[in-house]
Amino acid sequence: MDIIGIIVPVFFIAILGYLLTWVGLFRTRDIEGLTRYVFSVALPVMLFDSMAKIELPAEFHWELMAAYYLPTVALFGATALIGRFVFHQSRQARAVFAMGASYSNTVLIGLPIISAAWGDAGLLPLLMIVTVHAAILFLLTTALAETDPSGAAEGSAVAGVIVRTVQGIVRNPILIGIAAGVVANLLALRLPEPLDNTVGLIRGSALPAALFVTGASLREFRIAGHLSEAGVLIVLKMVVHPTLVWLLAAFVFHLQPLWIAVAVVTAAMPTGINASVFARKYSGAVAPVATATLLSTVLAVVSTSVLLAVFGV
C-alpha cells in the first residue's frame, strides 16, 4: 500500500467525524456513547485478536522501552524547565506543558496508522509502548503538579494518585485486551469459528470508529492563543521527540529496522487529547495545550507521510 493509500483514509475518517459533529448530526452524547464502544469493546477486541495470533518475541525487549521512554522522560523534564524559566509558568501549568510535549496520541491516531502501514508486525512494538505510556506520563504530570517539597499533604495526594493509576491500569479495557491476547497466544488457544468470526466483525469496526471519535473530539478544540507556547510544544512533540527516539533506537540500542520505524512514528504522533484533560483539571496551560493538540493533529498529515516515506513504506 502506498503512503497516500495509508494516510488519506485515516485522516479522511477523522475529518468526517469533525465535520458531522460540527454540523450537528452527532452531538456530545452520541460521541460519548461511541467513545465508550471504541475504548471498552472495539479496541480491546481488536488488540486481543492481534496479540492472540501474532508471533510473540522469545524475550522481553527492554531496549525498545528504553529507547522510547528515556527520551520521553528527558523531554518531559526539559519542557518543564522551559515552562518555568522561559514562559514563567506555575508548577501546575508547566506540568501540563511538559505532558503536551511528550504525550503521544498512540491509540486513536498511532494505532490506525501503524496498523495500516505495517500490519500486526508493527502492532507488537507499538503495544509494548502503549502498555505503560499513560501510566508513566500521568504519574510524571501528577507528581510535578501536586508535589511540593514543603507540603506533606500534597505528597500524600500524589501517593493516592499513584494507587488510583495502578488500579486504572488493572481495569483498563485496552490493557485487559492486550493481556488476554498474550495469554491466549502463550496457551495456543483458538476461538471456535463462529466466535472468531464475531471477533473479526468487531475488529473491523475498531479503527474507523476510533478515527471518527478522534475527529469528533477535536471539535471542542480551538486555536486559543498563546501561539508561542503552542509552537514550542509542536516542535518538541513532532520534531525533537522522534529525533531523540531515533538516535537511541538506531545508534544506542540498535533495534531492528521495523521497531525503529514504529518507535519513531509513535513519538512523532500529535499531542494526545488527555493532555488537555489534565490542563483543565489543573487550570494550567489550557490554551497552549489545546492549540498544540489541534494544530499538531492537522500537521500530522504531512509529518506522518514524510516519516512513512523515510522508512520505506
Side-chain angles (χ1 to χ4, degrees), residues 114-199:
I114 288 171
S115 177
W118 292 292
D120 282 352
L123 287 181
L124 179 59
L126 172 64
L127 296 182
M128 290 177 65
I129 292 170
V130 166
T131 53
V132 295
H133 184 250
I136 290 175
L137 272 303
F138 287 10
L139 287 175
L140 284 174
T141 304
T142 301
L144 179 57
E146 298 189 15
T147 300
D148 184 344
S150 63
E154 290 188 311
S156 300
V158 174
V161 171
I162 293 174
V163 172
R164 291 194 296 273
T165 300
V166 173
Q167 292 173 339
I169 292 172
V170 174
R171 299 170 184 168
N172 187 309
I174 289 179
L175 299 185
I176 291 172
I178 295 172
V182 171
V183 171
N185 191 311
L186 294 174
L187 297 178
L189 299 178
R190 293 295 177 262
L191 298 176
E193 184 176 355
L195 186 55
D196 190 54
N197 291 339
T198 302
V199 167

Side-chain angles (χ1 to χ4, degrees), residues 253-280:
F253 296 107
H254 306 288
L255 300 181
Q256 59 177 285
L258 174 60
W259 288 34
I260 294 172
V262 170
V264 172
V265 171
T266 302
M269 286 294 110
T271 298
I273 292 173
N274 275 325
S276 286
V277 175
F278 273 77
R280 289 192 291 269

Side-chain angles (χ1 to χ4, degrees), residues 34-293:
L34 183 57
T35 300
R36 283 195 294 272
Y37 169 75
V38 167
F39 281 99
S40 299
V41 180
L43 285 177
V45 168
M46 173 194 166
L47 297 175
F48 165 81
D49 191 50
S50 296
M51 297 308 292
K53 296 175 180 177
I54 200 171
E55 182 179 352
L56 296 175
E59 58 184 18
F60 179 76
H61 288 270
W62 64 267
E63 300 95 335
L64 171 67
M65 306 301 278
Y68 189 87
Y69 283 109
L70 288 177
T72 300
V73 173
L75 182 62
F76 183 96
T79 307
L81 292 176
I82 292 172
R84 179 178 181 179
F85 294 108
V86 177
F87 297 115
H88 309 290
Q89 297 170 338
S90 68
R91 188 175 70 252
Q92 289 79 9
R94 62 179 179 263
V96 176
F97 192 67
M99 185 181 187
S102 51
Y103 184 80
S104 293
N105 194 329
T106 56
V107 175
L108 291 177
I109 297 182
L111 187 60
I113 288 176
I114 288 171
S115 177
W118 292 292
D120 282 352
L123 287 181
L124 179 59
L126 172 64
L127 296 182
M128 290 177 65
I129 292 170
V130 166
T131 53
V132 295
H133 184 250
I136 290 175
L137 272 303
F138 287 10
L139 287 175
L140 284 174
T141 304
T142 301
L144 179 57
E146 298 189 15
T147 300
D148 184 344
S150 63
E154 290 188 311
S156 300
V158 174
V161 171
I162 293 174
V163 172
R164 291 194 296 273
T165 300
V166 173
Q167 292 173 339
I169 292 172
V170 174
R171 299 170 184 168
N172 187 309
I174 289 179
L175 299 185
I176 291 172
I178 295 172
V182 171
V183 171
N185 191 311
L186 294 174
L187 297 178
L189 299 178
R190 293 295 177 262
L191 298 176
E193 184 176 355
L195 186 55
D196 190 54
N197 291 339
T198 302
V199 167
L201 289 173
I202 296 174
R203 173 176 180 153
S205 71
L207 296 185
L211 290 167
F212 191 92
V213 163
T214 299
S217 299
L218 288 174
R219 176 70 183 91
E220 68 178 87
F221 291 90
R222 302 286 188 277
I223 297 177
H226 294 262
L227 292 179
S228 58
E229 290 116 308
V232 169
L233 285 182
I234 292 170
V235 171
L236 292 173
K237 181 72 208 65
M238 306 187 77
V239 179
V240 176
H241 194 190
T243 299
L244 293 176
V245 170
W246 171 68
L247 289 172
L248 264 69
F251 300 106
V252 176
F253 296 107
H254 306 288
L255 300 181
Q256 59 177 285
L258 174 60
W259 288 34
I260 294 172
V262 170
V264 172
V265 171
T266 302
M269 286 294 110
T271 298
I273 292 173
N274 275 325
S276 286
V277 175
F278 273 77
R280 289 192 291 269
K281 174 182 177 180
Y282 291 117
S283 300
V286 175
V289 169
T291 300
T293 299

